[in-house]
Amino acid sequence: MDDIKIVMDTIWVLFATALVFFMQAGFAMVETGFTRAKNAGNIIMKNLMDFSVGSLMFWVIGYGLMYGADSFGGLVGKPGFFFSGDYTSLIFQTVFCATAATIVSGSMAERTKFISYLCYSFCISVFIYPIAGHWIWGGGWLSSLSIGGATGFVDFAGSTVVHFVGGMCALVGAAIIGPRIGKYTKEGKSNAIPGHSITLGALGVFILWFGWFGFNPGSQLAASSLDDAYAIGKIFVTTNLAAAVAALVTMIITWIRYKKPDVSMTLNGALAGLVAITAGCAAVSPVGAALIGAIAGTVIVFGIEFVDKVLKIDDPVGAIGVHGICGAVGTLLVGLFSESTGLLYGHGVGQLAIQAIGVLAVGAWVLTTAFVVFKLIDKTIGLRVSKEEELIGLDLEEHGMESYADFELRGIQVR
Amino acid sequence: MDDIKIVMDTIWVLFATALVFFMQAGFAMVETGFTRAKNAGNIIMKNLMDFSVGSLMFWVIGYGLMYGADSFGGLVGKPGFFFSGDYTSLIFQTVFCATAATIVSGSMAERTKFISYLCYSFCISVFIYPIAGHWIWGGGWLSSLSIGGATGFVDFAGSTVVHFVGGMCALVGAAIIGPRIGKYTKEGKSNAIPGHSITLGALGVFILWFGWFGFNPGSQLAASSLDDAYAIGKIFVTTNLAAAVAALVTMIITWIRYKKPDVSMTLNGALAGLVAITAGCAAVSPVGAALIGAIAGTVIVFGIEFVDKVLKIDDPVGAIGVHGICGAVGTLLVGLFSESTGLLYGHGVGQLAIQAIGVLAVGAWVLTTAFVVFKLIDKTIGLRVSKEEELIGLDLEEHGMESYADFELRGIQVR
Amino acid sequence: MDDIKIVMDTIWVLFATALVFFMQAGFAMVETGFTRAKNAGNIIMKNLMDFSVGSLMFWVIGYGLMYGADSFGGLVGKPGFFFSGDYTSLIFQTVFCATAATIVSGSMAERTKFISYLCYSFCISVFIYPIAGHWIWGGGWLSSLSIGGATGFVDFAGSTVVHFVGGMCALVGAAIIGPRIGKYTKEGKSNAIPGHSITLGALGVFILWFGWFGFNPGSQLAASSLDDAYAIGKIFVTTNLAAAVAALVTMIITWIRYKKPDVSMTLNGALAGLVAITAGCAAVSPVGAALIGAIAGTVIVFGIEFVDKVLKIDDPVGAIGVHGICGAVGTLLVGLFSESTGLLYGHGVGQLAIQAIGVLAVGAWVLTTAFVVFKLIDKTIGLRVSKEEELIGLDLEEHGMESYADFELRGIQVR
Amino acid sequence: MSEITKVDIITRPSKIEDLKVALNEIGITGMTFSNVLGCGLQKGKTEYYRGTEYSIDLLPKARLEIVVCEVPVDLVVETAKKVLRTGEIGDGKIFIYPVQSVIKIRTGEEGVKAL
Amino acid sequence: MSEITKVDIITRPSKIEDLKVALNEIGITGMTFSNVLGCGLQKGKTEYYRGTEYSIDLLPKARLEIVVCEVPVDLVVETAKKVLRTGEIGDGKIFIYPVQSVIKIRTGEEGVKAL
Amino acid sequence: MSEITKVDIITRPSKIEDLKVALNEIGITGMTFSNVLGCGLQKGKTEYYRGTEYSIDLLPKARLEIVVCEVPVDLVVETAKKVLRTGEIGDGKIFIYPVQSVIKIRTGEEGVKAL
Ligand SMILES: Nc1ncnc2c1ncn2[C@@H]1O[C@H](COP(=O)(O)OP(=O)(O)O)[C@@H](O)[C@H]1O
Ligand SMILES: Nc1ncnc2c1ncn2[C@@H]1O[C@H](COP(=O)(O)OP(=O)(O)O)[C@@H](O)[C@H]1O
Ligand SMILES: Nc1ncnc2c1ncn2[C@@H]1O[C@H](COP(=O)(O)OP(=O)(O)O)[C@@H](O)[C@H]1O
């Protein structure tokens, strides 16, 4: 009987693993669709390689750091190399790590050297992600933090562990590498650089949404008791509602602000909802989920504009807004909307405080380490391709090929 | 032990839910691939939004109307708002509702105002679909109709509930809005308006076929007894065989009729087989499934030609033929091929009669309500974009963007 | 209790079936993406039709030949027609058969007559694949071959049964039909003929990788005991690691050999790793899997070059290298890396010898039968389209349509 | 030998089909079409992409080139004007160029015979 | 100063590679290629799309423009004819136009030197 | 009536935006752009695709055509040179052709007035 339960848990987690893996295809399509045709193959290659490097390195060392016996007062797990043991857990965690890693390729797209991107990938899989992960999921200090009656940072499926970590790396990387040529005028006005395939971008969003039905419900890590069954059913609902409402709200806001409903921003809106609900998907009610979606759908529009127009950081696909900002927002909102510990349900500010501390701590960790990593890469091998290479396109210059060899591309771009 | 069974049922239904959700990507790709590049983003947006609106509204009210305690003599369920309870059922039914909703975007593609489409989406999720659904799946009058020894309308996974409902809305919408500019000559001759990406269209068909392995076997709603196991295995086989044979037959017929095997029609053929087997997937044998596929594969060719050349209704993606006609045909064929109640197995015409009554009743309901809805929209906000907007394309006019900004598109179209 | 186990096994196998089915979409995208736009619809159609014909014929006769009671001394199963019985097994095996069948369309792309391709599809599903399959999986002679302490050819999920069989058919077909016009100069130098969409090709690879999480773990055929749970978890890990390492190694080798990391070859590299680990995914350790991946990632580069430059066989998508060569290599490597019987674990050469005999025997069977089949087709209806048709493109000539009607294609190709 | 001339018409892509039919009717069979981007009096517009304003300055136009000799240029121009004129901005322009010679590759014929 | 002339060749796209090589051999290095759609004697064909008949009237053609001066036009034309003539419909046409002047932007050279 | 002339500029696509702005400034409003492929002194390069060497001979170039009359050709040429010259290979060329006549379809105006 207990055996059966273990098998059922395993089936569930592996089902979820496959779906989360498939999110790699979603990221690849979103990132390539939202950027230019001349860099399409390069983005693909970066997505493929961060997954490959991540899979390898997380097995070699990352998983141990994240889930090894707690040491140094909750700061890091005791690493072992070449993990062998609970393979189901290993593979499930591997695809989560790879998700965090792949977020950056979007924000640094169209100008980052391929070799430098590989170095970054190595670093996030080897220590940036595993250590943040250890704090929250690996039994580290955040998982046992206790304030005002509430205990433990709540990040059910990784709004912070995965998305906020990835989003902060994306922020640091994009800030250090600087904007694409032509993105800002001399006066600092932002220019539009349209993506080359909204259909592929949209396909990517649908794939990601699909994958999220592994990401969130899979994080229950079990499907063998009545409670599990109830929980995973509810998580499907909260996940879906948040995404749907976020997309709707983003569409409405862009319609008002820009006169027309913006397609690519609305696609980002759906992802914003998904990222935001990830932390609280198990803790909030459907109504809470809808509200979280509505907030995320609002935040994303202003967030992306803020990054683009105020910070003047060039993030071609909106990765910082979607994963960074909405990852943080979603995590914080657990402190409001959690049915068992949230402020709005009369449980005081304890949970909210823990959530805030967690976000700040992880933010500080990632900003610092990512800054060091990207600066080091920049000073040594260099982060950015040459101006000439950027103009011609990374496909030809970095990989010697064209992604769309049979199609006439627009050489002339007047704006 | 019983707990385990419930968990297993839940796992199965949620697995199916994820797959059925993914059909949204399939629809988006089929519909965009089969229409023109200048409207690609608009179609995507409609698909995304009907799912979002549908998810929200079906939770708010639709699910209650469909599955609430039977009232008014089986006509409608007693609604509750903001459903909470069996979330697994809610989410499973939500993705079905969204499937019905999204069918229309194809038949009305390339000329429908975005805001009007949103209004329609609202209506189908809020009452057109839930009420028809109540009759058949919600314990309404059709589910208990008894004629000549047979009892209950058989629509296992929704040939009628989902596809025929969606297809009839598609018919009404496309008829009321009228054909795209250039679709018919002054003399009424039909012109070809080729889709912009057969590869994306085909990808969509493969995704839909994949999703159907959730749609049909998931409708068993259980996977915990030996009977369930046998049933879902068989449903995989019947579903797959019907699609395969339908594709094959469509290909052969187009080869004979048009001298060459028609790619996009054959892709429609596969979908026709899937739609047709949906009602009877659990009730028919593999041989029956192959025959149903063969019939659907034949019907679709003549059905699409009939809609196009006789009714002169412009249906860019063949939605009326695939979902409307084959939905009805598949439902009726249960009356012939059902192993337990079908005419061909010597069980009399009872089942066939029930099936016919069900199709007619649902047809009447949908034609009436959809007519009122579309006419109302037409008279108030207007269904159709201006001629100028249609010529330039909905992407630019309705959303201010181009879906393929880096590609040279063919301005010149001489036929 | 036992019932529950059967149901769990069924759920697992059907989950895997859906994923393996979806590999059809992956193949379609890889093959169309890596070939030219003028033949995109034709490739799609071939993929759709080999699956349809395969599904039908494998049910009609193939499954019986493969799994029917062993007869003729292990050479073939006793066939029954129109299989009915264990439908879960039927559908699972059907999607495997279709995988083998679809491999050929890639290597013969852009020049094969559609009708001839259909004939070939018929043959592989009706006897080439089922008979080879019987030897290994159907209880035939290879499954009981015993040498030096080791018993039974190990091909857990089909490196040989599926991929090597498909790859050898691909080899024979491509060799007999000859290279595409312009592929080789008069002096025999190989020319590059770039694919039309690296993004779709890459999407296909991600889809295939995703599908492989059904292909390999599904081949456990059970998920109801603790051993099963451990096994499928481990298979996820070995499958993923082999693919990741192979992609990485291929990238590095192409970087060294061609000065720049080659995108399409690296995508092939990932597939090479997946094909190679398929035979031994359950038998090797993660370390073994990583090494198998590294070997496959190396072999694929030199293998593809060998086929292209030495054999001068034109294989547009690298199918011979990926499925044929890496299928064989992966099968042989079980003899080295199997934890329970491998040479490197001190178990002698028995297993390696069995693996070698199996590969040779299957190779001989497929080369012979495929040769006869393709030669027969060639002599009767003809394998190849006319020169004129090939130049204009199969979409227009064989199907009367263009796949990308709205896009300007490059007419001028100067190299 | 009468003079050979090239008539180069730049106009809306959506009118090309009608133009082709009309020119066929006056006996012109050889034509060459291409896609160009134009800017003239007709102005582009301003849109938003992800919150960033941008303007579309160049509009897709179709070019039709016809080399004529026996068919009088005036007739071609009149026909084009008849088909293309809507009176609204964007109707386009016709440019007329001198041609020195024409050769038909298949037959080797030159000049008028080559047309 | 000898006369400058533009040779404009419209032909099958598949022949462009050979043409380029042949022209290189007679000393021509500067060339400009573009894709056009043509209708001439070569007829399109009728196909079915989803059961609806449609005809393909315009065929994809390649245009090659060469501005020459020192290399005699006749040699260019002869070379083109040699490479392109198959004797079948669709071989294409050559148009020859006068050129007033040429400027090389990089050096500012004009006329013959600019070529 | 002053002479009408066509100025045909072939250059790097990335310079087109600046060129357009500069020409607007000297009073030119009507322009026609197209994408071409060029080969000249600027050489392509050799790459590998799946292990096979191949060379890219034709480079994407942008063509800008302007028919002018009142604005002196020299001014146009000077402006173009100023914007486009980098001194590196690939700056491109300017070709100048005679024009016989221009017609504005919308108004029917001919010649200078049509510009
Ligand atoms: N002087 C010119 N030189 C080159 N092309 C021109 C010139 N004037 C107009 N054109 C082309 O003709 C097109 C139509 O010109 P436009 O001024 O918009 O026409 P209309 O007179 O109908 O308003 C332009 O888009 C441009 O491509
Ligand atoms: N009078 C013309 N004006 C402009 N283009 C022409 C003319 N005649 C032919 N062409 C171009 O030349 C191409 C080849 O002409 P066509 O008559 O088919 O050649 P062929 O003489 O080989 O049959 C046509 O497709 C068209 O693009
Ligand atoms: N004689 C010519 N005839 C036609 N086009 C030419 C000629 N010479 C140059 N071109 C065009 O001009 C472009 C620029 O020429 P190129 O020699 O590369 O310029 P640069 O002088 O800057 O090196 C070429 O790519 C080609 O398209």
Side-chain angles (χ1 to χ4, degrees), chain A residues 218-255:
Chain A
S219 294
Q220 178 76 8
L221 299 178
S224 50
S225 70
L226 271 191
D227 286 353
D228 294 336
Y230 179 79
I232 59 180
K234 188 177 122 179
I235 295 171
F236 261 77
V237 169
T238 53
T239 301
N240 192 57
L241 261 181
V245 173
L248 203 57
V249 167
T250 300
M251 183 204 70
I252 293 169
I253 295 178
T254 61
W255 207 331

Side-chain angles (χ1 to χ4, degrees), chain D residues 59-71:
Chain D
L59 300 169
K61 295 278 170 188
R63 158 184 285 169
L64 168 53
E65 289 160 88
I66 329 158
V67 174
V68 284
C69 178
E70 285 172 346
V71 182

Side-chain angles (χ1 to χ4, degrees), chain A residues 360-408:
Chain A
L360 288 175
V362 170
W365 162 252
V366 178
L367 289 176
T368 313
T369 48
F371 183 84
V372 172
V373 163
F374 283 119
K375 273 291 177 196
L376 262 180
I377 296 174
D378 200 19
K379 295 299 172 210
T380 50
I381 42 179
L383 259 184
R384 189 161 182 151
V385 297
S386 74
K387 195 186 154 188
E388 174 84 339
E389 287 169 329
E390 188 177 337
L391 283 176
I392 291 178
L394 305 193
D395 281 6
L396 256 179
E397 294 296 313
E398 292 243 88
H399 308 289
M401 64 100 188
E402 292 177 280
S403 292
Y404 299 102
D406 287 357
F407 292 90
E408 283 290 326

Side-chain angles (χ1 to χ4, degrees), chain C residues 265-328:
Chain C
M265 192 72 106
T266 302
L267 290 166
N268 273 160
L271 299 182
L274 289 164
V275 167
I277 194 63
T278 296
C281 57
V284 306
S285 70
V287 175
L291 292 173
I292 289 175
I295 294 168
T298 310
V299 163
I300 191 66
V301 179
F302 297 96
I304 285 182
E305 283 200 33
F306 179 77
V307 170
D308 187 38
K309 294 181 179 166
V310 180
L311 298 186
K312 296 207 188 302
I313 292 176
D314 178 16
D315 176 5
V317 308
I320 302 168
V322 168
H323 302 280
I325 300 177
C326 291

Side-chain angles (χ1 to χ4, degrees), chain B residues 209 216 233-249 269-270 272-298 329-330 333-334 336-339 344-345, chain C residues 55-56 59 82-83 87 90-91:
Chain B
W209 194 326
N216 287 2
K234 188 178 121 178
I235 294 171
F236 261 77
V237 169
T238 53
T239 301
N240 192 56
L241 261 181
V245 173
L248 203 58
V249 168
L274 289 163
V275 167
I277 194 62
T278 295
C281 57
V284 306
S285 70
V287 174
L291 291 173
I292 289 176
I295 294 169
T298 310
V329 166
L333 290 177
V334 175
L336 296 182
F337 289 107
S338 165
E339 290 187 295
L344 296 181
Y345 290 81
Chain C
S55 288
L56 181 61
W59 166 61
F82 302 99
F83 177 81
Y87 290 125
L90 170 65
I91 191 74

Side-chain angles (χ1 to χ4, degrees), chain C residues 150-221:
Chain C
T151 299
F153 182 73
V154 175
D155 186 13
F156 188 75
S159 284
T160 290
V161 179
V162 178
H163 296 283
F164 183 60
V165 165
M168 285 301 100
C169 287
L171 172 73
V172 175
I176 292 181
I177 202 169
R180 289 166 293 173
I181 296 171
K183 174 62 198 175
Y184 295 103
T185 62
K186 276 168 221 139
E187 302 78 43
K189 220 186 117 300
S190 171
N191 283 325
I193 302 182
H196 84 279
S197 176
I198 292 301
T199 45
L200 287 184
L203 175 63
V205 170
F206 280 114
I207 292 175
L208 286 169
W209 195 325
F210 174 59
W212 237 284
F213 290 130
F215 207 90
N216 286 0
S219 294
Q220 177 77 9
L221 298 178

